[in-house]
Amino acid sequence: SLTSPKDLARQSIQKIDHMLSQKAAMMKAFGNSFQGDFSDFEKAELLNQKIEALKLLDDPKTLTATKAELSKNIHDRTLSTEKTGELLLAIAYLKACDQKAEVLDWYQKLIAKNSDSFVYYAKLANYENELKEYDKALVPAEKAVALGPELAFRNLKLLAQIQKALNKNQDALKSATQALAMPDAKFEKNKKYADALTEMQKTLNK
């Protein structure tokens, strides 16, 4: 008989709890995954996986406790914009334990340090978009497009989504059309994005 998603989640949590209690098992499971700037993130990754599994179960108490444990694990570190790789990994875990204000604060610090790069504007815009804070996502999305010719297609797609969510339909249509005119729109890896933009174009042209 097929194992239910809830049973798989419970099995996964059992394995994770075993690794969390046995450091040797944890280190063996990860091998050399976390090295250099990323060393010592094994426990955070296991707690992150446990949170994902707990979302399938009706156990809010354990979910809250696990998020608090992951939050403490990240807060016990000395994070800095000097170590970007480590910080971006930490930000992903801060998102997992719902530390929204802190995530936004780190993105602002990264933008302040790299104000001529589109990268962190795009990350901030993406995150605000996920939070459905479209009005706050608009300016960083515009900045990402202005600064980032390398990923202009993806950045324009994000901007079009945000503009549409804000009912700025003419702006959204312009962004979608601009994105679809780019060579990147023809790449196989961008097919699902191009399809979504084509669909948006049709809707906005009605």
Side-chain angles (χ1 to χ4, degrees):
S1 65
L2 289 171
T3 313
S4 75
K6 285 192 173 185
D7 285 337
L8 286 171
R10 286 188 194 97
Q11 288 168 19
S12 177
I13 289 165
Q14 272 185 329
K15 285 179 191 165
I16 290 167
D17 283 341
H18 171 69
M19 284 187 273
L20 286 168
S21 66
Q22 305 281 334
K23 188 160 186 186
M26 177 166 72
M27 300 314 282
K28 188 182 172 194
F30 284 101
N32 296 320
S33 307
F34 293 98
Q35 291 181 313
D37 276 358
F38 302 106
S39 59
D40 199 33
F41 270 101
E42 292 86 358
K43 184 176 180 181
E45 177 53 30
L46 284 174
L47 290 168
N48 185 44
Q49 290 177 17
K50 185 174 177 179
I51 287 167
E52 287 308 305
L54 281 163
K55 285 176 184 174
L56 295 169
L57 304 176
D58 187 21
D59 188 354
K61 194 176 170 186
T62 309
L63 179 59
T64 301
T66 308
K67 284 182 178 181
E69 195 178 350
L70 177 55
S71 176
K72 183 179 184 312
N73 179 285
I74 300 303
H75 286 124
D76 284 347
R77 300 166 190 275
T78 306
L79 298 172
S80 153
T81 54
E82 297 300 317
K83 288 186 170 182
T84 314
E86 179 187 41
L87 179 55
L88 289 174
L89 189 55
I91 285 172
Y93 295 135
L94 287 170
K95 286 180 184 178
C97 49
D98 305 324
Q99 303 294 313
K100 291 174 192 171
E102 216 167 329
V103 170
L104 293 168
D105 186 50
W106 278 119
Y107 279 148
Q108 292 295 356
K109 284 176 180 166
L110 284 162
I111 284 169
K113 190 169 183 289
N114 307 275
S115 57
D116 56 348
S117 165
F118 75 91
V119 174
Y120 303 110
Y121 285 110
K123 286 185 182 295
L124 174 60
N126 257 308
Y127 187 52
E128 294 281 25
N129 186 48
E130 284 168 23
L131 296 175
K132 296 186 166 46
E133 296 279 4
Y134 304 116
D135 51 337
K136 292 177 187 170
L138 184 62
V139 171
E142 288 171 342
K143 284 287 254 185
V145 169
L147 289 168
E150 308 95 306
L151 274 183
F153 174 76
R154 295 276 183 97
N155 292 338
L156 275 164
K157 177 198 162 280
L158 175 63
L159 179 58
Q161 280 180 312
I162 293 163
Q163 288 166 331
K164 185 170 183 287
L166 289 167
N167 291 317
K168 294 179 180 285
N169 290 346
Q170 285 310 112
D171 291 343
L173 183 57
K174 189 178 163 190
S175 297
T177 305
Q178 201 179 331
L180 288 167
M182 298 182 74
D184 296 48
K186 308 283 185 287
F187 296 163
E188 184 56 38
K189 66 176 181 180
N190 289 330
K191 188 177 184 307
K192 67 174 181 179
Y193 302 118
D195 289 349
L197 284 166
T198 305
E199 200 52 47
M200 186 191 291
Q201 227 182 7
K202 284 180 195 163
T203 310
L204 294 171
N205 267 324
K206 279 178 184 170

